[in-house]
Amino acid sequence: MTSLLYRYALAVFALVLCPPAPAQTSSAALASRAGTARTSLSDPSSEKKVDELLRKMTLEEKVGQLVQYSAGQPTGPGTGRTDYDDMIRKGEVGALFNITTARQTNAYQRIAVEQSRLHIPLLFGLDVIHGFRTEFPIPLGLASSWDPLLIEQTARVAARETSASGIRWTFSPMVDIARDARWGRMTEGAGEDPFLGAAIARAYVRGYQGARLDAPDSIAACPKHFVGYGAAEGGRDYNSVELSEHTLRQFYLPPFHAAIDEGAATLMSAFNSLNAVPASANPFTLKQILREEWGFQGIVDSDYTSVGELIAHGIANDGATAARKAFLGGVDMDMVSSLYHENLVRLVRSGEIPEAAVDEAARRVLRVKFALGLFERPYADEAKEASAMLQPDSLMLARTAAEHSFVLLRNQDFSGRGPVLPLSNQTKTIALIGPLADDHGDMLGSWAGQGRPEDVITLRTALIQKMGAQNVRYAKGSEILGGSDDQLVEAVKVAEQSDTTFLALGENAPEMTGEAASRAFLGLPGRQEQLLEKIVATGKPVVLLIFSGRPLTLPWAFQHVPAVLAAWFPGVEAGPALVRTLFGEANPTGRLVVSWPRSMGQEPLYYDALSTGRPPRDIDLTHPPQNGIEKFVSRYIDEQNSPQFPFGFGLSYTSYRYANLQIDKPSLSAKNLNDELHAKGNTRSTLLSVSADITNTGARAGEETVQLYLRFQGTSVAQPVRALSGFQRVSLAPGETKNVTFQLGPEAFAFWNDQNKFAAEPAHVTLWVAPDSSQGVQGTLEITK
Ligand code: BGC
C-alpha cells in the first residue's frame, strides 16, 4: 500500500456520512461508521425462498439446521463422533467447523447438496482470528494501529483466503472489552475501550463480509462472546461475571452493537454467567437486547459446548433441560454439545418448546445460507485454492500491519545522550539474544489459523538479510520457560562483543496467551528477567522487544532498559517489519489499547474508570502514605494508581506539540441533543466542532494519532474520568502544523443514565485533544437544559 493511497483511503474513511442509527444506541456503538454498503440479511426474495423451504422441511430437518459439529477435531471435548456423513445425508447437521481445505469442505458439501433430501448446503466455519494463511499481528496488535481501515483490509485478505477453502464463516471478531491483563484472551480483542472497540468491530465486519455477503470471497462475521466474557472475575477464563446494567450498556455492549449495526450475520454467545444467568441461556441479552432492541436477524451460535455447560453452571440437571434453556434463552445453534441434536425434536413434541420457535431459528440459519449465496455456489474451486494464499500484496499488508502494531514504550538513553532508536545504518555489529529472536511458531500468536511456522520471517533472518551474517551475533540466552546457565553465559559474551543488543523476550503464544491462558503473574516467564538483567549489566545499549499477548509488568526493565518496543505477536512478516522499524525505515505509530500495569495487583486497570468520592488529587503516590491526608484516599499503600503507560500512549521517532484547542460553541442544550438523538431517518448532524493544532516538532515525518476525550460532571450517574470520543491519524512533515477537527454529533454526549436510557443531560463537560489518555490540551463546555 503506498502511503498516498493509504492517506486517500483514510480521508475517504473520515469523510463518509453516517447512516441513521437504530433507536436505542450509545455513542460508542456509533463510532466511526464508514458507510460502506451493507448487505441485508433478509431481502424479500430470499425470505420467500426460506419460506418455501421451511414448508417442505420436517421437524427433524429444521432441528438439523441448528446442529453444529467440529468435524476436524474428532477428539476434542464433546466431539468423538465419526458418523458425520450419515448425519449430513439425513439432514441432521446444519454446520461444521474445523475443516480447513477445499477438498474436505467439498467432500462434505457434496453429501449435503447431492445426497440429502432437500439439498440444503452446509455452512463451514473456522476460527480465522487474525488471518487464515497470511497471519497478521494478533488482534491486540492490530488494534494498536488505531487504524480501522487497515484492519478492514486485513480482514478482507483473511476472507479471500478462507473462502478459497470453502469456509464461509469465521468466529471473529472477538469484541469483548478487556480490562484485565490476567485474562489470556485479551490478545484476541481490541482492548479496553468501547469507542475504539466499536470502530474496530465495524472494520472487521466490513472486511469479512465485504460489500456483498454473497460474493464468493466474502465470509460471515461472528462477533463474540456475547456478553461480558472479558470481565471474568480475577481475570480467570470462563469465570463468573457480575456487571451492572449500566456498565454492560455503556462499556461492554457498544462494540457488539456496532458489529450488529454493521450487518454481522451471526453472533456467538459466551461461556460465562452474567449476573448469575449463563450468557448462553440469557433471554435478557440474547432476546431483549439483541433481537428486540437491535433487531438482529442472523444466527446466534453457542460457544463450544456452552449449551452442555449449563449443567455445570447449575441451571440444568440434564441435557434436555440445558437444551431447552439455551434454546428458549435465545441460542439458535448448538456448537458441539449435541444437545439440540438429541433433544429438540422431543422437546417440541412434548410441548416444552413451540415448533414456531424452531421454525424461526431454522429460518435464521437458512437466511444466512441464502445471504452467502451457498445455495447457488455451494462448492469451493479446488484448483484456485492454493493461489489465493500468501499473495504478494497480502504479505505486504501483513508487513504494514505489523509495523503499525508496534508500540514504542521507551526510547531514551540513561546517560542523557538521547534516543537509542532508530539505529543508524552505520551500526556494525548487533547481538541478537532471546528465545523469541528466531522463533517461527510464536510469531503467529494464538489462534494462528492455517498460518505455518515456515511462512514466518523471523527477526534473526531479516536482520541477517540487512546486516550480513557476520555482523549478527545470535545467542538464545534462555528458553521461554527454563534454560541453562550456559545459555546465559554465552549470551552475555555475545552482548559484550557487539555494539548494540536486541533482546527478544516474552510469552509463549499458544500456551500463555489466548483461551484458557489466564496468568496470575504478569512478568517475563522463566529465566528471562535474569537474562535481561545480565545483558543490561554489560553496559551495552539494549533494545528490548517484548513479544506478548498482553502488557507485561516489567518495572525493572522500564527503569534500566533505554529502548523498549511492544511487538505483540506480529505475524508472518515479523522480522522485516521489526528491522524496518528498528532502523527507522518505518516510524512507530502504534498506541496502547490497554493500560499497561506497573504491577499485577492494579488489575483490572483501565483509563475510563469512574471517579471515586476520594480521588487522590494532587497527592504524590510514589511513596507510602505518611499522614491521614495521604492515606484516606482511593489508593494502594504500596503502589501507584497510575499505569506504567496509559491507554493511548506510544512514542515515535519524532515528537508533537498540541496547542490552540478551539470549541466552536460555549454550550449545547440537552433537549436539543436528545431531539437530535431520537430524530429518525436523518443522517446525524454535527453539533459541535472541537479542534487543535498539532505540530511535528521533530526532524522526521510521522503519523500522530490524535485522540479526543470527554468527561461529564454533574450528571445523574457518575461518568468516567475520561472517555474516548474520537481519534484521527494525521501525517505531519517535520515542522508542519495541522489543524485537526473533530465533528461531534448528539451521540457523543449521550450515556446510560439513572432512567435506564441513553440520553444527554445537563452537565459540565471537559474536553481534551490529546496524544494519550493522561494528557492533552483541554477546554470546557456546558450542557444546559
Ligand atoms: C472459543 C471460541 C471459538 C470456539 C470454536 C471456543 O472454545 O471460546 O472463541 O470460536 O471455541 O473454536
Side-chain angles (χ1 to χ4, degrees):
M1 173 172 39
T2 68
S3 66
L4 197 64
L5 181 67
Y6 183 70
R7 260 180 244 138
Y8 168 75
L10 268 184
V12 172
F13 175 71
L15 281 174
V16 255
L17 288 175
C18 297
Q24 177 103 266
T25 194
S26 72
S27 58
L30 293 169
S32 305
R33 180 179 288 152
T36 328
R38 280 181 274 148
T39 26
S40 161
L41 271 183
S42 59
D43 69 80
S45 81
S46 54
E47 286 299 295
K48 220 171 119 219
K49 291 183 201 155
V50 173
D51 280 332
E52 281 165 17
L53 197 48
L54 275 174
R55 272 197 293 275
K56 293 186 206 152
M57 290 169 83
T58 63
L59 175 60
E60 285 77 1
E61 284 164 336
K62 288 181 220 165
V63 168
Q65 290 304 307
L66 314 181
V67 173
Q68 181 189 26
Y69 286 112
S70 164
Q73 281 183 344
T75 53
T79 54
R81 303 195 71 132
T82 49
D83 49 345
Y84 298 115
D85 293 8
D86 192 44
M87 289 191 288
I88 296 166
R89 209 169 280 123
K90 290 197 279 194
E92 290 178 6
V93 181
L96 291 175
F97 68 115
N98 285 336
I99 307 162
T100 53
T101 65
R103 191 180 52 76
Q104 292 168 316
T105 53
N106 282 347
Y108 282 123
Q109 195 68 300
R110 245 175 250 119
I111 304 175
V113 172
E114 292 164 26
Q115 299 174 29
S116 74
R117 192 178 76 92
L118 292 171
H119 318 291
I120 300 173
L122 292 163
L123 176 55
F124 296 102
L126 191 73
D127 289 280
V128 179
I129 306 300
H130 50 111
F132 181 75
R133 178 76 189 270
T134 304
E135 285 301 314
F136 296 101
I138 53 168
L140 190 67
L142 283 175
S144 304
S145 70
W146 289 59
D147 191 342
L149 190 63
L150 177 75
I151 292 169
E152 180 177 338
Q153 288 165 339
T154 66
R156 195 87 282 280
V157 168
R160 270 190 221 122
E161 294 187 352
T162 305
S163 57
S165 293
I167 300 154
R168 300 292 306 284
W169 185 18
T170 176
F171 308 128
S172 168
M174 189 191 94
V175 301
D176 296 312
I177 293 295
R179 292 172 159 184
D180 192 331
R182 290 172 296 182
W183 189 53
R185 301 197 81 167
M186 176 179 270
T187 185
E188 289 177 59
E192 70 192 39
D193 183 72
F195 183 90
L196 181 65
I200 290 177
R202 286 184 185 281
Y204 277 110
V205 175
R206 283 196 298 270
Y208 291 138
Q209 299 198 169
R212 293 188 62 95
L213 199 49
D214 62 359
D217 63 354
S218 288
I219 59 177
C222 183
K224 67 187 189 185
H225 307 81
F226 198 67
V227 56
Y229 186 41
E233 273 181 19
R236 204 182 74 217
D237 209 2
Y238 317 123
N239 205 4
S240 314
V241 170
E242 290 284 330
L243 291 175
S244 69
E245 186 171 350
H246 174 267
T247 303
L248 187 68
R249 297 265 191 187
Q250 191 153 328
F251 300 98
Y252 284 79
L253 285 174
F256 284 98
H257 194 182
I260 298 305
D261 187 50
E262 198 62 47
T266 77
L267 170 138
M268 187 182 290
S269 65
F271 286 125
N272 55 285
S273 64
L274 174 67
N275 304 332
V277 182
S280 288
N282 194 319
F284 172 60
T285 52
L286 291 173
K287 290 189 145 174
Q288 182 181 316
I289 293 177
L290 183 67
R291 300 273 185 217
E292 285 163 33
E293 294 180 18
W294 298 353
F296 179 58
Q297 296 185 317
I299 304 168
V300 172
D301 194 14
S302 80
D303 202 346
Y304 202 108
T305 61
S306 69
V307 173
E309 289 167 28
L310 298 181
I311 298 174
H313 272 292
I315 68 156
N317 288 337
D318 53 62
T321 311
R324 178 173 55 78
K325 288 204 168 177
F327 185 76
L328 294 178
V331 172
D332 296 322
M333 189 181 273
D334 172 11
M335 184 191 277
V336 171
S337 72
S338 64
L339 293 181
Y340 281 14
H341 194 181
E342 287 159 17
N343 297 289
L344 279 198
V345 169
R346 206 155 25 85
L347 288 165
V348 171
R349 299 239 154 93
S350 67
E352 288 168 85
I353 286 181
E355 182 159 359
V358 172
D359 288 357
E360 279 316 296
R363 169 187 297 285
R364 289 191 280 264
V365 176
L366 295 172
R367 182 182 278 152
V368 170
K369 290 183 175 180
F370 274 109
L372 283 163
L374 281 176
F375 285 86
E376 291 83 40
R377 273 185 314 276
Y379 302 116
D381 185 343
E382 292 176 35
K384 293 199 179 138
E385 182 182 25
S387 62
M389 310 298 160
L390 298 172
Q391 290 282 320
D393 58 343
S394 309
L395 293 172
M396 185 58 88
L397 184 66
R399 194 185 78 185
T400 305
E403 287 168 9
H404 287 231
S405 75
F406 301 144
V407 183
L408 184 62
L409 297 172
R410 257 202 68 87
N411 190 20
Q412 201 60 240
D413 188 274
F414 290 99
S415 50
R417 285 196 298 268
V420 178
L421 293 173
L423 287 193
S424 126
N425 280 328
Q426 309 307 318
T427 312
K428 290 204 182 67
T429 50
I430 291 200
L432 179 62
I433 296 172
L436 288 137
D438 195 30
D439 178 296
H440 290 75
D442 284 302
M443 294 301 114
L444 299 171
S446 71
W447 293 113
Q450 294 306 293
R452 299 183 190 166
E454 64 266 27
D455 297 338
V456 170
I457 305 173
T458 65
L459 175 55
R460 185 182 184 192
T461 305
L463 201 56
I464 288 174
Q465 266 162 17
K466 169 141 186 104
M467 302 193 55
Q470 70 286 5
N471 299 319
V472 179
R473 299 186 181 144
Y474 169 73
K476 200 168 185 190
S478 78
E479 305 302 319
I480 295 176
L481 275 170
S484 66
D485 289 347
D486 289 350
Q487 281 179 313
L488 280 179
V489 170
E490 190 205 350
V492 169
K493 203 156 74 194
V494 161
E496 278 166 348
Q497 291 163 355
S498 311
D499 296 337
T500 297
T501 296
F502 291 166
L503 252 182
L505 307 181
E507 298 181 293
N508 169 332
E511 270 135 50
M512 294 178 189
T513 76
E515 187 174 352
S518 298
R519 294 184 62 195
F521 299 94
L522 296 178
L524 284 167
R527 298 162 63 108
Q528 295 183 72
E529 181 82 28
Q530 203 186 340
L531 172 64
L532 168 75
E533 293 181 18
K534 285 223 174 322
I535 299 299
V536 170
T538 63
K540 297 281 183 168
V542 173
V543 178
L544 171 61
L545 308 167
I546 306 172
F547 295 87
S548 63
R550 49 160 69 85
L552 299 182
T553 51
L554 303 172
W556 190 91
F558 295 121
Q559 275 172 11
H560 296 92
V561 184
V564 185
L565 185 83
W568 315 114
F569 293 110
V572 286
E573 288 284 312
L578 282 165
V579 167
R580 279 171 45 82
T581 303
L582 295 167
F583 286 88
E585 284 162 65
N587 189 353
T589 56
R591 290 293 166 27
L592 293 178
V593 296
V594 285
S595 302
W596 193 292
R598 296 173 190 274
S599 49
M600 194 261 300
Q602 292 180 306
E603 295 289 349
L605 182 66
Y606 48 98
Y607 83 98
D608 53 350
L610 308 185
S611 177
T612 65
R614 292 192 179 191
R617 284 185 206 108
D618 304 326
I619 291 176
D620 179 0
L621 300 180
T622 56
H623 60 75
Q626 283 161 10
N627 52 46
I629 292 176
E630 288 186 356
K631 180 156 194 211
F632 291 99
V633 291
S634 179
R635 66 171 295 177
Y636 301 102
I637 56 172
D638 50 5
E639 181 54 282
Q640 301 178 52
N641 287 5
S642 65
Q644 186 89 53
F645 303 105
F647 172 86
F649 174 82
L651 299 171
S652 141
Y653 295 153
T654 186
S655 49
Y656 303 97
R657 185 178 58 237
Y658 283 61
N660 191 25
L661 182 89
Q662 300 284 339
I663 302 171
D664 73 341
K665 296 182 190 72
S667 67
L668 292 169
S669 121
K671 178 174 179 317
N672 194 13
L673 288 168
N674 288 323
D675 288 348
E676 289 281 341
L677 202 57
H678 297 116
K680 292 215 173 85
N682 283 324
T683 50
R684 293 256 176 236
S685 45
T686 296
L687 297 179
L688 190 82
S689 293
V690 184
S691 66
D693 291 338
I694 319 298
T695 304
N696 181 344
T697 51
R700 283 174 175 264
E703 259 178 36
E704 171 72 337
T705 300
V706 182
Q707 301 159 39
L708 174 74
Y709 293 93
L710 264 57
R711 177 178 190 180
F712 300 93
Q713 287 168 287
T715 45
S716 65
V717 293
Q719 291 298 308
V721 292
R722 274 194 190 207
L724 184 73
S725 300
F727 60 95
Q728 288 181 41
R729 292 160 54 88
V730 282
S731 309
L732 291 162
E736 190 184 7
T737 298
K738 275 187 185 156
N739 184 262
V740 173
T741 303
F742 293 91
Q743 315 273 16
L744 299 183
E747 66 283 352
F749 302 94
F751 46 81
W752 191 252
N753 67 15
D754 66 345
Q755 303 299 305
N756 275 358
K757 285 207 177 80
F758 271 108
E761 292 181 352
H764 175 70
V765 187
T766 311
L767 300 96
W768 294 263
V769 173
D772 65 52
S773 61
S774 72
Q775 41 175 333
V777 281
Q778 152 181 0
T780 58
L781 169 82
E782 295 302 319
I783 301 184
T784 60
K785 279 196 193 142

